[in-house]
Amino acid sequence: MPFFGETTFPILDTERLKLRQLSSKDTKKLFEIWSDKQVTQYMNISPLSTKSQALEMIDLLNSLAERNEAIRWGIELKKTGELIGTCGFNSINHANARASIGYELEVAYWRKGYMSEVIHALLGYGFQQCHFNRIEATVEPENTPSMLLLEKLGFHREGLLRGYEYAKERYIDLYMFSILQNEYLLQNSQDTCP
């Protein structure tokens, strides 16, 4: 069953953003984003060098979603319709009701609160629609802004995974962060209390 039990690719809305399926129309913009060394610095990919690589990535991500193995949304500004990044569940472990999130934004949109909106939407969808028990994020130790954001949103830093991932021709350490469904529900019930 494609798209996590839904008949169409799910669209998520936040105050300023629409999270929607990526398409071949996004190739040029995603090439611009994914070829930027600042954007890919903490991603597990090297900066792209051709537009065809961006199209291949879009096709791969949509194919993973159809197989319920992962799901990646384009982050679109509601005001202008401009694509400014992507986000989603990089891997999903259905047997253990667990998913790992990932995200990136075009540099011009950093430090404007967009990623906070994005992660709130991912958590809501993951815990309330997909019924995950745990949502994780792995972060390189040098990526302080991402770690601070996750902690602000209720994630717990669990520890350092030494030499955990091979990316860009080297083994890298990653911090593991997680939030559980019951923590998310408790946090959100407190946020809505008068």
Side-chain angles (χ1 to χ4, degrees):
M1 198 181 299
F3 310 124
F4 307 89
E6 300 184 31
T7 55
T8 59
F9 195 97
I11 294 172
L12 309 181
D13 283 299
T14 74
E15 183 183 339
R16 300 176 291 171
L17 305 168
K18 177 168 116 175
L19 308 185
R20 48 98 172 151
Q21 186 171 18
L22 296 168
S23 79
S24 59
K25 294 176 187 171
D26 299 314
T27 302
K28 181 179 183 293
K29 185 62 180 188
L30 286 176
F31 172 69
E32 290 171 16
I33 295 170
W34 291 337
S35 63
D36 186 325
K37 288 179 183 171
Q38 281 185 276
V39 173
T40 60
Q41 180 179 2
Y42 298 118
M43 292 174 68
N44 63 357
I45 62 168
S46 296
L48 301 188
S49 54
T50 66
K51 286 183 188 167
S52 65
Q53 290 174 310
L55 181 58
E56 287 169 16
M57 186 75 84
I58 291 167
D59 290 342
L60 171 66
L61 294 170
N62 285 331
S63 141
L64 290 170
E66 287 175 10
R67 296 193 312 261
N68 286 335
E69 294 175 14
I71 187 167
R72 196 86 177 179
W73 286 270
I75 303 168
E76 183 179 289
L77 286 175
K78 283 183 177 176
K79 202 175 202 176
T80 63
E82 182 183 1
L83 187 73
I84 63 170
T86 74
C87 65
F89 301 118
N90 292 342
S91 64
I92 297 169
N93 181 323
H94 293 283
N96 293 296
R98 180 174 73 224
S100 177
I101 63 169
Y103 43 84
E104 86 285 328
L105 278 180
E106 185 175 358
V107 175
Y109 298 96
W110 289 6
R111 296 175 189 84
K112 297 183 188 309
Y114 290 119
M115 202 47 72
S116 221
E117 285 183 44
V118 164
I119 294 173
H120 272 296
L122 292 178
L123 294 178
Y125 183 76
F127 287 132
Q128 295 170 332
Q129 301 299 121
C130 299
H131 306 290
F132 295 141
N133 177 61
R134 173 186 166 100
I135 294 178
E136 308 171 334
T138 52
V139 183
E140 289 188 40
E142 298 79 20
N143 192 352
T144 305
S146 193
M147 290 192 284
L148 292 173
L149 175 62
L150 291 168
E151 287 172 339
K152 177 183 158 195
L153 296 175
F155 281 75
H156 297 270
R157 187 186 314 196
E158 296 183 333
L160 182 68
L161 305 170
R162 299 176 305 129
Y164 189 73
E165 183 175 83
Y166 188 77
K168 301 174 189 169
E169 301 180 8
R170 63 188 175 98
Y171 288 98
I172 57 172
D173 298 342
L174 294 170
Y175 277 113
M176 174 64 79
F177 287 80
S178 73
I179 184 169
L180 302 180
Q181 183 186 52
N182 63 343
E183 295 166 341
Y184 168 81
L185 294 174
L186 180 63
Q187 178 181 310
N188 283 285
S189 69
Q190 291 170 345
D191 288 348
T192 55
C193 288

Coordinates of all heavy atoms in Angstrom, one line a residue, residues 96-179:
N96 N 9.6 -2.1 14.5 CA 9.8 -1.4 15.8 C 9.2 0.0 15.9 O 9.4 0.7 16.8 CB 11.3 -1.3 16.0 CG 11.9 -2.7 16.2 OD1 11.6 -3.4 17.1 ND2 12.8 -3.1 15.3
A97 N 8.3 0.3 14.9 CA 7.6 1.6 14.9 C 8.5 2.8 15.2 O 8.4 3.6 16.1 CB 6.5 1.6 16.0
R98 N 9.6 2.8 14.3 CA 10.7 3.8 14.5 C 11.0 4.4 13.2 O 11.0 3.7 12.2 CB 11.9 3.0 15.1 CG 13.1 3.9 15.4 CD 14.1 3.1 16.1 NE 14.8 2.1 15.2 CZ 15.1 0.8 15.6 NH1 14.7 0.4 16.8 NH2 15.7 0.0 14.7
A99 N 11.4 5.7 13.2 CA 11.8 6.4 12.0 C 12.9 7.3 12.3 O 13.0 7.8 13.4 CB 10.7 7.1 11.3
S100 N 13.8 7.6 11.3 CA 14.9 8.6 11.4 C 14.6 9.7 10.5 O 14.3 9.6 9.3 CB 16.2 7.9 11.1 OG 17.2 8.8 11.1
I101 N 14.7 11.0 11.1 CA 14.4 12.2 10.3 C 15.7 12.8 9.7 O 16.8 12.6 10.2 CB 13.6 13.2 11.0 CG1 14.4 13.8 12.2 CG2 12.2 12.7 11.4 CD1 13.8 15.0 12.9
G102 N 15.5 13.5 8.6 CA 16.5 14.3 8.0 C 15.9 15.5 7.4 O 14.7 15.5 7.1
Y103 N 16.8 16.5 7.2 CA 16.2 17.8 6.7 C 17.4 18.7 6.2 O 18.5 18.6 6.7 CB 15.4 18.5 7.7 CG 16.1 18.5 9.1 CD1 17.1 19.4 9.5 CD2 15.7 17.5 10.0 CE1 17.7 19.4 10.7 CE2 16.3 17.5 11.3 CZ 17.3 18.4 11.6 OH 17.9 18.3 12.8
E104 N 17.1 19.6 5.3 CA 18.1 20.6 4.9 C 17.3 21.8 4.2 O 16.2 21.6 3.7 CB 19.1 20.1 3.9 CG 18.8 20.0 2.5 CD 17.8 18.9 2.1 OE1 17.8 17.9 2.7 OE2 17.1 19.2 1.1
L105 N 17.9 22.9 4.3 CA 17.3 24.2 3.7 C 18.4 24.9 2.9 O 19.5 24.9 3.3 CB 16.9 25.1 4.9 CG 15.5 24.9 5.5 CD1 15.4 26.0 6.6 CD2 14.4 24.9 4.6
E106 N 17.9 25.6 1.9 CA 18.7 26.5 1.2 C 19.3 27.6 2.2 O 18.5 28.0 3.1 CB 17.9 27.2 0.1 CG 18.6 28.1 -0.8 CD 17.7 28.7 -1.9 OE1 16.5 28.3 -2.0 OE2 18.2 29.4 -2.7
V107 N 20.5 28.0 2.0 CA 21.2 28.8 3.0 C 20.4 30.1 3.2 O 20.4 30.6 4.4 CB 22.7 29.1 2.5 CG1 23.3 30.1 3.5 CG2 23.5 27.8 2.5
A108 N 19.8 30.7 2.2 CA 19.1 32.0 2.4 C 18.0 31.9 3.4 O 17.5 33.0 3.9 CB 18.6 32.5 1.0
Y109 N 17.6 30.7 3.7 CA 16.4 30.5 4.6 C 16.8 30.0 6.0 O 16.0 29.7 6.8 CB 15.4 29.6 4.0 CG 14.8 30.3 2.7 CD1 15.4 30.0 1.5 CD2 13.9 31.3 2.8 CE1 14.9 30.6 0.3 CE2 13.4 31.9 1.6 CZ 14.0 31.6 0.4 OH 13.5 32.2 -0.7
W110 N 18.1 29.9 6.3 CA 18.6 29.5 7.6 C 18.2 30.6 8.7 O 18.1 31.7 8.4 CB 20.1 29.3 7.6 CG 20.6 28.1 6.8 CD1 19.8 27.3 6.1 CD2 21.9 27.6 6.7 NE1 20.6 26.3 5.5 CE2 21.9 26.5 5.9 CE3 23.1 28.1 7.3 CZ2 23.1 25.8 5.6 CZ3 24.3 27.4 7.0 CH2 24.2 26.2 6.2
R111 N 18.0 30.1 9.9 CA 17.8 30.9 11.1 C 16.6 31.9 10.9 O 16.6 33.0 11.4 CB 19.1 31.8 11.4 CG 20.3 30.9 11.8 CD 21.5 31.7 12.0 NE 22.7 30.8 12.1 CZ 23.3 30.3 11.1 NH1 23.0 30.5 9.9 NH2 24.4 29.4 11.3
K112 N 15.5 31.3 10.3 CA 14.3 32.1 10.2 C 13.1 31.3 10.9 O 12.0 31.7 10.7 CB 14.0 32.4 8.8 CG 15.0 33.3 8.1 CD 14.7 33.7 6.7 CE 15.8 34.4 6.0 NZ 16.4 35.5 6.6
G113 N 13.4 30.2 11.6 CA 12.4 29.4 12.2 C 11.7 28.4 11.3 O 10.8 27.7 11.8
Y114 N 12.1 28.3 10.1 CA 11.4 27.3 9.2 C 11.6 25.9 9.6 O 10.6 25.1 9.6 CB 11.9 27.5 7.7 CG 11.4 28.8 7.1 CD1 12.4 29.7 6.7 CD2 10.1 29.1 6.9 CE1 12.0 30.9 6.1 CE2 9.7 30.3 6.3 CZ 10.6 31.2 5.9 OH 10.2 32.4 5.3
M115 N 12.8 25.5 10.0 CA 13.0 24.1 10.4 C 12.3 23.7 11.6 O 11.9 22.6 11.7 CB 14.5 23.9 10.5 CG 14.9 22.4 10.3 SD 14.1 21.6 8.9 CE 15.0 22.3 7.5
S116 N 12.0 24.6 12.5 CA 11.2 24.3 13.7 C 9.8 23.9 13.2 O 9.3 22.9 13.7 CB 11.1 25.6 14.6 OG 11.3 25.3 15.9
E117 N 9.2 24.7 12.3 CA 7.9 24.3 11.8 C 7.9 23.0 11.1 O 7.0 22.2 11.3 CB 7.5 25.4 10.7 CG 7.0 26.7 11.3 CD 6.6 27.7 10.2 OE1 5.8 27.2 9.3 OE2 6.9 28.9 10.3
V118 N 9.0 22.7 10.3 CA 9.1 21.5 9.6 C 9.1 20.3 10.6 O 8.4 19.3 10.4 CB 10.4 21.5 8.7 CG1 10.7 20.1 8.2 CG2 10.2 22.4 7.5
I119 N 10.0 20.4 11.6 CA 10.1 19.2 12.5 C 8.9 19.0 13.3 O 8.4 17.9 13.5 CB 11.4 19.4 13.4 CG1 12.6 19.3 12.5 CG2 11.4 18.3 14.5 CD1 13.9 19.6 13.2
H120 N 8.2 20.1 13.7 CA 6.9 19.9 14.3 C 5.9 19.2 13.5 O 5.2 18.3 13.9 CB 6.3 21.3 14.7 CG 6.7 21.9 16.0 ND1 6.4 21.3 17.2 CD2 7.4 23.0 16.3 CE1 6.9 22.0 18.2 NE2 7.5 23.0 17.7
A121 N 5.9 19.5 12.2 CA 5.0 18.8 11.2 C 5.4 17.3 11.1 O 4.5 16.4 11.1 CB 5.0 19.5 9.9
L122 N 6.7 17.0 11.0 CA 7.1 15.6 10.9 C 6.8 14.8 12.1 O 6.3 13.7 12.0 CB 8.6 15.6 10.7 CG 9.2 16.1 9.3 CD1 10.7 16.0 9.3 CD2 8.6 15.4 8.2
L123 N 7.0 15.5 13.3 CA 6.6 14.7 14.5 C 5.1 14.5 14.6 O 4.7 13.4 15.0 CB 7.1 15.6 15.8 CG 8.6 15.7 15.9 CD1 8.9 16.6 17.2 CD2 9.3 14.4 16.1
G124 N 4.3 15.5 14.3 CA 2.9 15.3 14.3 C 2.4 14.2 13.4 O 1.7 13.3 13.8
Y125 N 2.9 14.2 12.2 CA 2.6 13.1 11.2 C 3.1 11.8 11.7 O 2.4 10.8 11.6 CB 3.2 13.5 9.8 CG 2.8 12.5 8.8 CD1 1.5 12.5 8.2 CD2 3.7 11.6 8.3 CE1 1.1 11.6 7.2 CE2 3.3 10.6 7.3 CZ 2.0 10.7 6.8 OH 1.7 9.7 5.8
G126 N 4.3 11.7 12.1 CA 5.0 10.5 12.5 C 4.3 9.8 13.7 O 4.0 8.6 13.7
F127 N 4.0 10.6 14.7 CA 3.4 10.1 15.9 C 1.9 9.9 15.8 O 1.3 8.9 16.3 CB 3.7 10.9 17.1 CG 5.1 10.8 17.6 CD1 5.9 12.0 17.8 CD2 5.8 9.6 17.7 CE1 7.2 11.9 18.2 CE2 7.1 9.5 18.1 CZ 7.8 10.6 18.4
Q128 N 1.2 10.8 15.1 CA -0.3 10.7 15.1 C -0.8 10.0 13.9 O -1.9 9.3 14.1 CB -0.9 12.1 15.2 CG -0.5 12.8 16.5 CD -0.8 14.3 16.5 OE1 -0.8 15.0 15.5 NE2 -1.1 14.8 17.7
Q129 N -0.2 10.0 12.8 CA -0.7 9.4 11.6 C -0.1 8.0 11.4 O -0.7 7.0 11.0 CB -0.5 10.2 10.3 CG -1.2 11.6 10.3 CD -2.7 11.5 10.5 OE1 -3.2 12.0 11.4 NE2 -3.3 10.8 9.6
C130 N 1.3 7.9 11.5 CA 2.0 6.7 11.3 C 2.1 5.9 12.6 O 2.5 4.7 12.5 CB 3.4 7.0 10.8 SG 3.4 7.8 9.2
H131 N 1.8 6.5 13.7 CA 1.8 5.8 15.0 C 3.2 5.2 15.4 O 3.4 4.2 15.9 CB 0.8 4.7 15.1 CG -0.6 5.2 14.8 ND1 -1.3 6.0 15.6 CD2 -1.4 5.0 13.7 CE1 -2.5 6.3 15.1 NE2 -2.5 5.8 13.9
F132 N 4.3 6.0 15.0 CA 5.6 5.6 15.4 C 5.7 5.7 16.9 O 5.1 6.6 17.6 CB 6.7 6.5 14.8 CG 6.8 6.4 13.3 CD1 7.0 7.6 12.5 CD2 6.7 5.2 12.6 CE1 7.1 7.5 11.1 CE2 6.8 5.1 11.3 CZ 7.0 6.3 10.5
N133 N 6.5 4.9 17.5 CA 6.8 5.0 19.0 C 8.0 5.9 19.2 O 8.1 6.5 20.2 CB 7.1 3.6 19.5 CG 7.5 3.7 21.0 OD1 6.7 4.1 21.8 ND2 8.7 3.2 21.3
R134 N 8.9 5.9 18.2 CA 10.2 6.6 18.4 C 10.6 7.3 17.1 O 10.5 6.7 16.0 CB 11.3 5.6 18.8 CG 12.7 6.2 18.9 CD 13.7 5.0 19.2 NE 15.0 5.4 18.9 CZ 15.9 5.7 19.9 NH1 15.5 5.8 21.2 NH2 17.1 6.1 19.6
I135 N 11.1 8.6 17.2 CA 11.6 9.3 16.0 C 13.0 9.7 16.4 O 13.2 10.3 17.5 CB 10.7 10.4 15.6 CG1 9.4 9.9 15.1 CG2 11.4 11.3 14.5 CD1 8.4 11.0 14.7
E136 N 14.0 9.4 15.5 CA 15.4 9.6 15.8 C 16.0 10.6 14.8 O 15.4 10.9 13.8 CB 16.2 8.3 15.6 CG 15.7 7.1 16.3 CD 16.4 5.8 15.9 OE1 17.0 5.8 14.8 OE2 16.4 4.9 16.7
A137 N 17.1 11.2 15.2 CA 17.9 12.0 14.3 C 19.4 11.8 14.7 O 19.7 11.7 15.9 CB 17.5 13.5 14.5
T138 N 20.2 11.6 13.7 CA 21.6 11.5 13.9 C 22.3 12.8 13.4 O 21.9 13.3 12.3 CB 22.3 10.3 13.2 OG1 21.9 10.3 11.8 CG2 21.8 9.0 13.9
V139 N 23.2 13.4 14.2 CA 23.8 14.7 13.9 C 25.3 14.6 14.1 O 25.8 14.1 15.1 CB 23.2 15.8 14.8 CG1 23.7 17.1 14.4 CG2 21.7 15.7 14.7
E140 N 26.0 15.2 13.1 CA 27.5 15.3 13.3 C 27.8 16.2 14.5 O 27.1 17.2 14.7 CB 28.2 15.8 12.0 CG 28.1 14.7 10.9 CD 28.9 15.2 9.7 OE1 30.0 15.7 9.9 OE2 28.5 14.9 8.6
P141 N 28.8 15.9 15.3 CA 29.2 16.7 16.5 C 29.4 18.1 16.2 O 29.2 19.0 17.1 CB 30.4 16.0 17.0 CG 30.3 14.6 16.5 CD 29.7 14.7 15.2
E142 N 29.9 18.5 15.0 CA 30.2 19.9 14.7 C 28.9 20.7 14.3 O 28.9 21.9 14.2 CB 31.2 20.0 13.5 CG 32.5 19.3 13.8 CD 32.5 17.8 13.7 OE1 31.6 17.2 13.0 OE2 33.4 17.2 14.2
N143 N 27.8 20.0 14.1 CA 26.5 20.6 13.6 C 25.7 21.1 14.8 O 24.6 20.7 15.1 CB 25.7 19.7 12.8 CG 24.6 20.4 12.1 OD1 24.3 21.5 12.3 ND2 23.9 19.6 11.2
T144 N 26.3 22.1 15.5 CA 25.7 22.6 16.8 C 24.3 23.2 16.5 O 23.4 22.9 17.3 CB 26.6 23.7 17.4 OG1 27.9 23.1 17.6 CG2 26.0 24.2 18.7
P145 N 24.0 24.0 15.5 CA 22.6 24.5 15.3 C 21.6 23.4 15.2 O 20.5 23.5 15.8 CB 22.7 25.3 14.0 CG 24.2 25.6 13.8 CD 24.9 24.5 14.4
S146 N 21.9 22.3 14.6 CA 20.9 21.2 14.5 C 20.7 20.6 15.8 O 19.5 20.2 16.2 CB 21.4 20.2 13.4 OG 20.3 19.3 13.1
M147 N 21.8 20.4 16.6 CA 21.6 19.7 17.9 C 20.8 20.6 18.8 O 19.9 20.1 19.5 CB 23.0 19.5 18.5 CG 23.7 18.3 17.8 SD 25.2 17.8 18.7 CE 26.3 19.1 18.3
L148 N 21.0 21.9 18.8 CA 20.3 22.8 19.7 C 18.8 22.9 19.3 O 17.9 22.9 20.2 CB 20.9 24.3 19.6 CG 22.3 24.4 20.2 CD1 22.8 25.8 19.9 CD2 22.2 24.2 21.7
L149 N 18.5 22.8 18.0 CA 17.1 22.8 17.5 C 16.4 21.5 18.0 O 15.3 21.6 18.5 CB 17.1 22.9 16.0 CG 15.7 22.8 15.4 CD1 14.8 23.9 15.8 CD2 15.8 22.7 13.9
L150 N 17.0 20.4 17.8 CA 16.4 19.1 18.3 C 16.1 19.1 19.8 O 15.1 18.7 20.2 CB 17.3 17.9 17.9 CG 17.4 17.7 16.4 CD1 18.5 16.7 16.1 CD2 16.1 17.2 15.8
E151 N 17.1 19.6 20.6 CA 16.9 19.6 22.0 C 15.8 20.6 22.4 O 15.0 20.3 23.2 CB 18.2 20.0 22.7 CG 19.2 18.9 22.7 CD 20.6 19.2 23.2 OE1 21.0 20.4 23.2 OE2 21.3 18.2 23.5
K152 N 15.7 21.7 21.7 CA 14.6 22.7 21.9 C 13.2 22.1 21.6 O 12.3 22.4 22.3 CB 14.9 23.9 21.0 CG 13.8 25.0 21.1 CD 14.1 26.1 20.1 CE 12.8 26.9 19.8 NZ 13.0 27.7 18.6
L153 N 13.2 21.2 20.7 CA 11.9 20.6 20.3 C 11.6 19.3 21.1 O 10.7 18.6 20.7 CB 11.9 20.3 18.8 CG 12.0 21.5 17.9 CD1 12.1 21.2 16.4 CD2 10.8 22.4 18.1
G154 N 12.4 19.0 22.1 CA 12.1 17.9 23.0 C 12.8 16.6 22.7 O 12.6 15.6 23.4
F155 N 13.8 16.6 21.8 CA 14.6 15.4 21.5 C 15.6 15.3 22.7 O 16.1 16.3 23.2 CB 15.4 15.5 20.2 CG 14.5 15.2 19.0 CD1 13.6 16.1 18.5 CD2 14.7 14.0 18.3 CE1 12.9 15.9 17.4 CE2 14.0 13.7 17.2 CZ 13.0 14.7 16.7
H156 N 16.0 14.0 23.0 CA 17.0 13.7 24.0 C 18.3 13.3 23.3 O 18.2 12.5 22.4 CB 16.6 12.6 24.9 CG 15.4 13.0 25.7 ND1 15.5 13.6 27.0 CD2 14.1 12.9 25.5 CE1 14.3 13.8 27.4 NE2 13.4 13.4 26.5
R157 N 19.4 13.8 23.7 CA 20.7 13.3 23.1 C 21.1 12.1 23.9 O 21.3 12.1 25.1 CB 21.8 14.4 23.3 CG 23.1 14.0 22.6 CD 24.3 14.9 22.9 NE 24.0 16.3 22.8 CZ 24.9 17.2 22.7 NH1 26.2 16.9 22.7 NH2 24.6 18.5 22.6
E158 N 21.2 11.0 23.2 CA 21.4 9.7 23.8 C 22.9 9.3 23.9 O 23.2 8.5 24.8 CB 20.6 8.6 23.0 CG 19.1 8.8 23.1 CD 18.4 7.7 22.4 OE1 18.9 7.0 21.5 OE2 17.2 7.5 22.8
G159 N 23.7 9.8 23.0 CA 25.1 9.4 23.1 C 25.7 9.5 21.7 O 25.1 9.8 20.7
L160 N 27.1 9.3 21.7 CA 27.9 9.5 20.5 C 28.1 8.1 19.9 O 28.5 7.1 20.6 CB 29.2 10.1 20.9 CG 30.2 10.3 19.7 CD1 29.6 11.4 18.8 CD2 31.6 10.7 20.2
L161 N 27.7 8.0 18.7 CA 28.0 6.7 17.9 C 29.3 6.9 17.1 O 29.3 7.6 16.2 CB 26.8 6.5 16.9 CG 25.4 6.5 17.6 CD1 24.3 6.5 16.5 CD2 25.3 5.3 18.5
R162 N 30.3 6.2 17.6 CA 31.7 6.4 17.1 C 31.8 5.7 15.8 O 31.5 4.5 15.6 CB 32.7 6.0 18.1 CG 32.7 6.8 19.4 CD 33.6 6.3 20.4 NE 33.5 4.9 20.7 CZ 34.5 4.0 20.7 NH1 35.7 4.4 20.5 NH2 34.2 2.7 20.9
G163 N 32.4 6.4 14.7 CA 32.6 5.8 13.4 C 31.3 5.1 12.9 O 31.4 4.1 12.2
Y164 N 30.2 5.8 13.1 CA 28.9 5.2 12.8 C 28.5 5.1 11.3 O 27.8 4.2 10.9 CB 27.8 5.9 13.6 CG 26.5 5.3 13.6 CD1 26.2 4.1 14.3 CD2 25.4 5.8 12.8 CE1 25.0 3.5 14.3 CE2 24.1 5.2 12.8 CZ 23.9 4.1 13.6 OH 22.7 3.5 13.6
E165 N 29.0 6.1 10.5 CA 28.5 6.2 9.2 C 29.7 6.5 8.2 O 30.6 7.3 8.6 CB 27.5 7.3 9.0 CG 26.9 7.5 7.7 CD 25.8 8.5 7.7 OE1 26.1 9.7 7.6 OE2 24.6 8.1 7.8
Y166 N 29.7 5.8 7.1 CA 30.8 6.1 6.1 C 30.2 7.1 5.1 O 29.2 6.8 4.4 CB 31.2 4.8 5.4 CG 32.4 5.0 4.5 CD1 33.7 5.1 5.1 CD2 32.3 5.1 3.1 CE1 34.8 5.3 4.2 CE2 33.4 5.3 2.3 CZ 34.6 5.4 2.9 OH 35.7 5.6 2.1
A167 N 30.7 8.3 5.1 CA 30.2 9.3 4.1 C 31.4 10.2 3.7 O 32.3 10.5 4.5 CB 29.2 10.2 4.8
K168 N 31.4 10.5 2.4 CA 32.4 11.4 1.9 C 33.8 10.9 2.1 O 34.7 11.6 2.5 CB 32.2 12.8 2.4 CG 30.9 13.4 2.1 CD 30.7 14.8 2.8 CE 29.2 15.2 2.6 NZ 28.9 16.3 3.4
E169 N 33.9 9.5 1.9 CA 35.2 8.8 2.0 C 35.9 8.8 3.3 O 37.1 8.7 3.5 CB 36.2 9.4 0.9 CG 35.6 9.3 -0.5 CD 36.6 9.9 -1.5 OE1 37.7 10.2 -1.2 OE2 36.2 10.0 -2.7
R170 N 35.0 8.8 4.4 CA 35.5 8.7 5.7 C 34.4 8.2 6.7 O 33.3 8.3 6.4 CB 36.1 10.0 6.2 CG 35.1 11.1 6.4 CD 35.6 12.5 6.7 NE 34.6 13.5 6.7 CZ 34.0 13.9 7.8 NH1 34.3 13.5 9.0 NH2 33.0 14.8 7.7
Y171 N 34.9 7.6 7.8 CA 33.9 7.2 8.8 C 33.7 8.4 9.7 O 34.6 9.1 10.1 CB 34.4 6.0 9.6 CG 34.4 4.7 8.8 CD1 35.5 4.3 8.2 CD2 33.2 4.0 8.7 CE1 35.5 3.1 7.5 CE2 33.2 2.9 8.0 CZ 34.3 2.4 7.4 OH 34.3 1.3 6.6
I172 N 32.4 8.7 10.0 CA 32.1 9.8 10.9 C 31.4 9.4 12.1 O 30.6 8.4 12.2 CB 31.3 10.9 10.1 CG1 30.0 10.3 9.6 CG2 32.1 11.5 9.0 CD1 29.1 11.3 9.0
D173 N 31.6 10.2 13.2 CA 30.9 10.0 14.4 C 29.5 10.8 14.3 O 29.5 11.8 13.6 CB 31.6 10.7 15.6 CG 33.0 10.0 15.9 OD1 33.2 8.9 15.4 OD2 33.8 10.6 16.6
L174 N 28.5 10.3 15.0 CA 27.2 10.9 15.0 C 26.6 10.9 16.4 O 26.7 9.8 17.1 CB 26.2 10.2 14.0 CG 26.6 10.3 12.5 CD1 25.7 9.4 11.7 CD2 26.5 11.7 12.0
Y175 N 26.0 11.9 16.8 CA 25.2 11.9 18.0 C 23.8 11.4 17.7 O 23.2 11.8 16.6 CB 25.0 13.3 18.6 CG 26.2 13.7 19.5 CD1 27.1 14.8 19.1 CD2 26.5 13.1 20.7 CE1 28.1 15.1 19.9 CE2 27.6 13.4 21.5 CZ 28.4 14.5 21.1 OH 29.5 14.8 21.8
M176 N 23.3 10.5 18.5 CA 21.9 10.0 18.4 C 21.0 10.8 19.2 O 21.2 11.0 20.4 CB 21.8 8.5 18.8 CG 20.4 8.0 18.8 SD 19.7 7.9 17.1 CE 20.5 6.5 16.4
F177 N 19.9 11.3 18.6 CA 18.9 12.1 19.3 C 17.6 11.3 19.1 O 17.4 10.7 18.1 CB 18.7 13.5 18.8 CG 19.8 14.4 19.1 CD1 21.0 14.4 18.4 CD2 19.6 15.3 20.2 CE1 22.0 15.3 18.8 CE2 20.6 16.2 20.5 CZ 21.8 16.2 19.8
S178 N 16.7 11.3 20.1 CA 15.4 10.7 19.9 C 14.3 11.4 20.7 O 14.6 12.1 21.7 CB 15.4 9.2 20.3 OG 15.5 9.1 21.7
I179 N 13.1 11.2 20.3 CA 11.9 11.6 21.1 C 10.9 10.4 20.9 O 10.8 9.8 19.9 CB 11.3 12.9 20.6 CG1 10.1 13.4 21.5 CG2 10.9 12.9 19.1 CD1 9.7 14.8 21.2

